[in-house]
Amino acid sequence: MQQSEFINIVMPFRDKLFRMAKRLLVSTEEAEDATQEVLLKLWTNSNSMEKYRNVEAFAMTMTKNYCLDRLKSKQASNLKLVHSNYKDENVSLQKKVEVDDSLDWMNKIMNTLPEQQRMVLQLRDVEQYEYDEIAKMLDMNPTAIRVALSRARKTVREQLIKKHNYGIS
Amino acid sequence: MASVNHIEALLEKYFEADTSIAEEKVLQDYFNSDEVAPHLEQYASMFQFFKISGEERSTRAIPLKPGRKVYLLKWISVAAVAALLVGIFINQPSQTDSLQANYTQEELESAQMALAIFSENFNKGTQGMSYLKEFEKNTNKFLK
């Protein structure tokens, strides 16, 4: 497979991999590392790429596995505190200054969710994948995905209402 | 613009994870507009967050070249080893071929006969050598 051909296949979903990695790993740097790792792996195996019916779903699964491995080894080496200290760079991206605070809050809520719920929420509400696509990527059945998704959305809602009742400081 | 009632109904479904992609798009658009009803405002940051999260881009350039060459080289070496093995394998059987396979029975018999005649004559020759010993004895006597 030619390099240009590979890039054409990979480019449309590269950012999605990156965002998924960032949702799990939080740090932008680490998310870039994860994306690079996954794409290089795909490239070295690009001859067998035609065999995979859905390269995008396959790449997403690879990203998920890579990130979960990273998180596991981090936990093992007690780097968790360092990990949660990363500055969130999402905020700098958006232009609506008046909602800065609530978006920052949303990000914090997201990071308190269990990994599986975070992934489901990311794939559905941010990337708008269909349930059967998410099922393939996460190797879960669609019912379990709906349950996790509903749970995640409700947790976010609860936290937001709590915040709303306190009033935005 | 969607009515507030419609949005409320969609939200209900949304939290039960029963909305379709299209319905979620309606919610997404509604909460990212400037006309969010005051009592629904608390949900706005959720959908705004999802929208903004989806706009983030990966910016690092990824070097694709290295993996490729190593890959090719690996297969060349595999092919070379395979060729070598095949070569050795093909050469081996001709060495272990038995005589019966290469010559007819008649040829073998005539060869055996020829060898028998040769050894018989050779033995005659060695018998004749015993006279030479006698000759040697006498010359030794003479030399002393």
Side-chain angles (χ1 to χ4, degrees):
Chain A
M1 186 179 289
Q2 290 305 304
Q3 197 171 328
S4 57
E5 204 183 330
F6 176 79
I7 288 169
N8 283 339
I9 294 173
V10 150
M11 261 339 227
F13 59 82
R14 176 189 166 167
D15 290 325
K16 294 180 185 179
L17 301 183
F18 168 70
R19 290 192 289 258
M20 175 68 155
K22 191 172 173 185
R23 177 66 55 228
L24 287 167
L25 300 172
V26 183
S27 142
T28 305
E29 257 314 288
E30 285 188 67
E32 291 278 18
D33 285 348
T35 315
Q36 177 170 345
E37 189 75 15
V38 167
L39 290 182
L40 285 180
K41 247 185 232 168
L42 270 183
W43 168 243
T44 42
N45 294 321
S46 58
N47 280 355
S48 52
M49 224 160 97
E50 284 106 12
K51 275 190 293 194
Y52 308 125
R53 261 176 304 149
N54 189 343
V55 179
E56 185 172 339
F58 182 69
M60 193 57 94
T61 309
M62 281 171 76
T63 308
K64 176 204 93 177
N65 291 339
Y66 177 87
C67 291
L68 292 184
D69 280 355
R70 292 285 304 154
L71 287 175
K72 227 181 259 172
S73 64
K74 229 180 245 175
Q75 245 165 0
S77 55
N78 275 335
L79 277 171
K80 228 190 164 186
L81 278 176
V82 180
H83 171 66
S84 58
N85 278 343
Y86 283 122
K87 218 179 132 245
D88 163 51
E89 284 155 55
N90 252 354
V91 181
S92 61
L93 246 165
Q94 56 89 36
K95 301 116 207 162
K96 301 175 185 172
V97 183
E98 71 274 16
V99 286
D100 241 8
D101 187 53
S102 58
L103 289 180
D104 194 19
W105 185 248
M106 256 309 291
N107 204 39
K108 279 184 185 137
I109 295 172
M110 286 292 280
N111 291 343
T112 62
L113 293 174
E115 277 133 22
Q116 196 187 60
Q117 291 183 22
R118 241 193 281 177
M119 290 191 288
V120 174
L121 209 54
Q122 173 73 18
L123 292 175
R124 179 67 180 193
D125 280 345
V126 178
E127 310 295 358
Q128 278 110 36
Y129 283 114
E130 291 290 350
Y131 286 120
D132 52 343
E133 286 176 298
I134 300 173
K136 242 181 273 162
M137 289 166 184
L138 301 185
D139 194 23
M140 288 164 71
N141 68 57
T143 320
I145 286 167
R146 277 173 196 263
V147 171
L149 185 61
S150 169
R151 225 171 259 167
R153 283 171 175 172
K154 280 175 179 167
T155 310
V156 172
R157 176 175 64 178
E158 260 166 49
Q159 294 296 317
L160 280 178
I161 287 171
K162 220 191 259 175
K163 169 80 174 169
H164 195 74
N165 290 343
Y166 279 134
I168 297 163
S169 51
Chain B
M1 196 78 244
S3 77
V4 174
N5 285 343
H6 182 54
I7 294 297
E8 281 173 348
L10 282 183
L11 269 177
E12 191 94 354
K13 277 174 76 183
Y14 171 78
F15 283 107
E16 296 306 323
D18 281 335
T19 38
S20 66
I21 293 285
E23 287 170 327
E24 283 165 24
K25 182 88 172 64
V26 172
L27 286 173
Q28 178 85 262
D29 290 345
Y30 175 79
F31 284 105
N32 279 289
S33 73
D34 296 329
E35 295 155 63
V36 180
H39 69 289
L40 296 176
E41 235 170 56
Q42 59 213 15
Y43 300 116
S45 53
M46 194 170 173
F47 291 98
Q48 285 164 4
F49 175 81
F50 291 145
K51 188 170 183 238
I52 287 164
S53 297
E55 284 162 5
E56 204 169 350
R57 300 271 175 270
S58 161
T59 51
R60 190 186 289 176
I62 291 176
L64 282 183
K65 277 184 181 156
R68 190 69 175 172
K69 272 179 194 163
V70 173
Y71 189 68
L72 252 173
L73 215 90
K74 195 177 83 190
W75 280 110
I76 288 173
S77 61
V78 167
V81 169
L84 240 148
L85 281 176
V86 166
I88 290 167
F89 194 74
I90 284 173
N91 277 336
Q92 236 169 5
S94 65
Q95 290 172 349
T96 56
D97 267 352
S98 64
L99 287 169
Q100 274 95 339
N102 281 339
Y103 302 99
T104 64
Q105 192 60 35
E106 222 168 279
E107 279 172 326
L108 285 172
E109 270 167 13
S110 69
Q112 271 168 346
M113 204 156 70
L115 284 170
I117 291 166
F118 170 74
S119 70
E120 200 179 304
N121 288 327
F122 190 84
N123 285 339
K124 263 183 207 164
T126 45
Q127 269 165 18
M129 292 285 272
S130 60
Y131 299 117
L132 282 175
K133 243 183 206 163
E134 213 60 38
F135 176 72
E136 197 179 17
K137 236 190 258 172
N138 290 328
T139 42
N140 280 347
K141 224 186 259 172
F142 182 72
L143 280 173
K144 266 178 197 168

